[in-house]
Amino acid sequence: LPGQIQTNLHNKNSADLLIFIMLLTLTILTIWLFKHRRFRFLHETGLAMIYGVLVGVVLLYGVHVPRDISNATLSCHVNASPPTLLINVSGRFYEYTLKGEISASAISDVQDNEMLRKVTFDPEVFFNILLPPIIFHAGYSLKRRHFFRNMGSILAYAFLGTVISCFIIGLLMYGCVKLMKQVGQLDGDFFFTDCLLFGAIVSATDPVTVLAIFNELQVDVDLYALLFGESVLNDAVAVVLSSSIVSYQPEGDNHHTFEVMAVLKSFGVFLGVFSGSFALGVATGVMTFLLYCGSHVTKFTKLRDFQLLETALFFLMSWSTFLLAEACGFTGVVAVLFCGITQAHYTFNNLSPESQDRTKQLFELLNFLAENFIFSYMGLALFTFQNHVFNPMFIVGAFLAVFLGRAANIYPLSFLLNLGRRNKISSNFQHMMMFAGLRGAMTFALSIRDTATYARQMMFTTTLLIVFFTVWVCGGGTTQMLSCQNIRAVVLTGSLNPFPVFWSPQMIVSEGSERRSTKQESAWLFRIWYNFDHNYLKPILTHSGPPLTVTMPTCCGPLARCLTSPQAYECQLKDDDSDLILAEGDISLSYGDITVSTDASGVHTSSGPAGTTTAAISADDLDRELSCGDHELVMRGTRLVLPMDDSEPPLVDPRHRMRM
Amino acid sequence: LPGQIQTNLHNKNSADLLIFIMLLTLTILTIWLFKHRRFRFLHETGLAMIYGVLVGVVLLYGVHVPRDISNATLSCHVNASPPTLLINVSGRFYEYTLKGEISASAISDVQDNEMLRKVTFDPEVFFNILLPPIIFHAGYSLKRRHFFRNMGSILAYAFLGTVISCFIIGLLMYGCVKLMKQVGQLDGDFFFTDCLLFGAIVSATDPVTVLAIFNELQVDVDLYALLFGESVLNDAVAVVLSSSIVSYQPEGDNHHTFEVMAVLKSFGVFLGVFSGSFALGVATGVMTFLLYCGSHVTKFTKLRDFQLLETALFFLMSWSTFLLAEACGFTGVVAVLFCGITQAHYTFNNLSPESQDRTKQLFELLNFLAENFIFSYMGLALFTFQNHVFNPMFIVGAFLAVFLGRAANIYPLSFLLNLGRRNKISSNFQHMMMFAGLRGAMTFALSIRDTATYARQMMFTTTLLIVFFTVWVCGGGTTQMLSCQNIRAVVLTGSLNPFPVFWSPQMIVSEGSERRSTKQESAWLFRIWYNFDHNYLKPILTHSGPPLTVTMPTCCGPLARCLTSPQAYECQLKDDDSDLILAEGDISLSYGDITVSTDASGVHTSSGPAGTTTAAISADDLDRELSCGDHELVMRGTRLVLPMDDSEPPLVDPRHRMRM
């Protein structure tokens, strides 16, 4: 009999999962149609949500599942809720595992809506299964050149901005909640910590829709880097911030009073968890091969002959970073993010070309599936989630607060950053960043994580509506907003045309000269790190970079010779080669971002003679170095969003570019 | 508090999963070392088991986890075991889900060994998550030419052989159990149905170790096809057989008496489930695109521009086959197997070359990870499984029964088949097949599925030992057995050498002429199907094959023109081309299996003039057709096991061969 119960359960579970698979399939087919017809107003994530909503409506109103009789509440007097429960039914023992607490009001629902409950996943699934590949992929495909060039600004937006946004939204919502209490619109408790948590949750931006369109339209690379970098990092900040707000527990009886020690403790938690996760991610990233087989195994021997093993190892290492962080009590997604960034920087260069393709394709696929799954689940949750609390006043307040919070993040910070930046963030860029403050997968995962109390349920419902609104309205209006803000976009036409459409250089000219001026200054922060990385870390860890024999002091000669890969010398020659090519007009250099920058004046900036001394680092070197890694990521990472990317002008053989 | 419990639980789960990830990582690193050093006596699966055993010992004896106090048995009077339980703990409601029944004897263990229980997975995980990719990959990478050529024999071994083996083992074990009862060695019930179930479970062979070595050593392709085809199909037979034995329930009070009606019903279940799963798998395989977007979407339009979408869709369709079968009450793994075979035959040709690579690499990776995970879990389970019942007499009896069951499968069937085959299965091949009756993932998954009763626990323990013995001893002794049986093997040396080592044609000569004679006869079974497939199905569903305008009656002209892909005409020309090439010495034809067959006599079998009429199907056509699809799969599917495969002689451009 228990076997039969399990079989029935299993069949039902299969049917439920089948719903999601069908949803994803439908989404993919429709996206394909949209791409084919060149519709840009609706991104696949928005579409996944729409289908989710439709299926949710059908499940809620169309499907009648007979009440599950055996699911009765047993009158049982116990005084604990252990994670495992043994039930003695007439001599046979059955084992039960704790699923979670249920609010008293929801108990009738538990018995009623078996079908709806079935399509409801354990919230931890999002955090532990679906988010990691998304976050890893984001880190792995970070456009490193423009990311590092705008590092200062990105860090400011991500850290300061998220904290500002969190507190502004928290304060505004607290005011809103006070008002609601006076008007009599609030049925339960809603504390200041709840407001702050809400602020942290909705501060995680996810402009995946906007970035897809940016990519397709070839919008300014710095704007892209700012938005993407900010969104990637502020996910990490928001998740740690929310966990440190949850950890705020004053000593006294009232758990919602202000207490300095508790605040400091929360702040300590934030710093500890963030830096711990960061360190762990970077450590496993850098140490992937050092830890398990020594970097020299990959570098000198033949692991690269076995691409499957290489890919499998890479996948397992990334996953173990996540698990290790969770097991240590850090935040897995943050560790995975920095692991991804580090893997892209170091490990990637040690992989065979085929494994590079394989790993990118694998994570691209995982990212795609996970993202669309989350968004279609969001659509479904709008109707199938059992404990929605729609409170119009709270919702209006939240929309306002989110808007103001984003504004208080972008505009003041941009003003301050512009004081220090030579390449100012123009006001239309600021408006665009303001507009692109979409909320997505991370916000949803954070808000569904705990929906036990009235306050959390209201927050979840409101968050869902915010995500829907921003993805559909802001995401759908991106092209309009771009043209409205006069942000240059190169529209690529004719995906059916096998030959590329060359865009006219004039269109990007001003941008090109603008970028040239940035190059000299904004990277200063990382010059020291870069120096060390370029001269010592990279040559030791990867095949690229100058041989250690050049960069190390002469006294370390034998050690340097022993540590240097034979291919580094080769690489060195290639570096010189590419120097020559690059000096010839900078075309192949910046082609990775598909902004063919020929100087407006027509003057070629020939940046030094061919016989460069590799140890001396110029700004150009840094730039080129960063751009080298980019080529690959840009060319392949955007395969989905850019129907044109196979049709690149055959100026330079890609194989050659890749190895520059 | 429940939140904290969940967090703690979650951290523990991460740590447990981390153990497995570390195990897999260790396995990969060691395999790499083995491949590098050319050790053949231990396959990665055997290695994974060894590491699993080591970690199991450490967990059992080395790790002391404090007794979980909250995990006490609650005295609670209930009279049912519903799948969901609500517990009222002083006003707060907690939800519990049924995990399964626990035998009364194991209850003390439940409280003791929390750590060991943590590393124990829900048995359904194997069936629903780990087996499907393994089985799909097997179907997707079936060597179709030799598979279809030996179809009759393979079906005989798989169906008749598995049933024979199941009943022989069942009867022998029943005798053994009777004896044990008399001697007083049996502590619990053990019925005839249990014996039969044991027979079905251990009849699923999985010679993954042997096949890897065959691949590496380039052993005879027909032997490979027989073994691989048998093992793939008998997994399907065994899983359906075991479920129909479980479904045997006589009407009377005694559930273990013989009753004709119940036997017939079980037989009906077998036929129904098998044919249902088969039909579903083939249907979703063929209809993948027909069902969801119409085959013409892929064929005529531009889905192939979006490889990511294509790959994602392919993955989702394969998964949904599994879920659909499970939801309908069929067997998911069987459906997935036939889906894989069909996908390789039809859908594969409609994918863009890049997606072909991607899908193969994806399933290769999934297969690799799942397989090694299962084998390391097996190693772990030897020490961490809580309810082992080691019964020496039963174990000795089982080993004997398994040996005799395999013998009763191979030798009589081979004798009967040799009556009909012109290309006899020689006695050394028969010995090799006997020897290669390894048990693996499927046997384990079947036996761990239900370990509730004493009989099942004894079966599980014995099965585990059988798997260990066969993988280590038979797997490790494959090379010795091959040389002992004088089965020709071409040893490829020098994986560090980037150039291929050409093996001398004399070595394979007799085999080549042998094969030529088979060609004419053993495919007759499928001539009719092939005719239809080649002339109508393939042209409609894929880009390959002759244009419908040629094969269809003239009256259907307009319809045929409308259904024919423009590329089919192109293809047609290539077919003619390749005819010419093939007639020139048969080299490029059989190169897919890396047996360069030049006739011993030096006489080239020029099979007909160049200007062939495509509608008339000769045996050569069939052969060529089947071999075309092979090339790809052979070349890429064996990447793991064949360190040489990148270094193939550049006789024919692979791109050209692929499109033939």
Side-chain angles (χ1 to χ4, degrees), chain A residues 82-86 95-96, chain B residues 67-74 107 109-112 114 117:
Chain A
T84 311
L85 204 66
L86 291 175
E95 190 186 5
Y96 284 82
Chain B
R67 181 188 280 252
D68 198 339
I69 304 155
S70 68
N71 200 2
T73 314
L74 300 165
I107 282 177
D109 295 334
V110 169
Q111 290 160 3
D112 270 349
E114 195 56 25
R117 284 171 48 71

Side-chain angles (χ1 to χ4, degrees), chain A residues 10-11 21-22 70 74 76 82 85 92-93 95-97 99-102 107 117 128 292 319 326, chain B residues 10-11 21-22 70 74 76 82 85 92-93 95-97 99-102 107 117 128 292 319 326:
Chain A
H10 175 58
N11 288 358
I21 305 291
M22 292 295 179
S70 68
L74 300 166
C76 182
L85 204 66
R92 306 185 75 158
F93 288 90
E95 190 186 5
Y96 284 82
T97 46
K99 204 174 166 189
E101 195 186 342
I102 289 179
I107 283 176
R117 285 172 46 72
N128 300 322
Y292 288 88
W319 195 13
E326 290 286 326
Chain B
H10 174 57
N11 288 358
I21 305 291
M22 293 294 178
S70 68
L74 300 165
C76 181
L85 204 66
R92 306 183 76 159
F93 288 89
E95 190 184 5
Y96 283 82
T97 46
K99 204 173 167 188
E101 195 186 341
I102 289 179
I107 282 177
R117 284 171 48 71
N128 300 321
Y292 289 88
W319 195 14
E326 290 287 325

Side-chain angles (χ1 to χ4, degrees), chain B residues 286-341:
Chain B
V286 175
M287 302 294 166
T288 298
F289 290 83
L290 280 179
L291 258 176
Y292 289 88
C293 58
S295 77
H296 292 219
V297 168
T298 7
K299 194 162 129 183
F300 288 103
T301 52
K302 288 282 161 185
L303 185 59
R304 53 166 62 191
D305 288 342
F306 308 107
Q307 286 94 1
L308 179 62
L309 296 184
E310 227 176 32
T311 314
L313 196 62
F314 191 85
F315 176 77
L316 291 176
M317 291 308 306
S318 310
W319 195 14
S320 65
T321 305
F322 176 83
L323 292 174
L324 196 63
E326 290 287 325
C328 295
F330 296 130
T331 309
V333 286
V334 178
V336 148
L337 169 65
F338 291 103
C339 175
I341 296 175

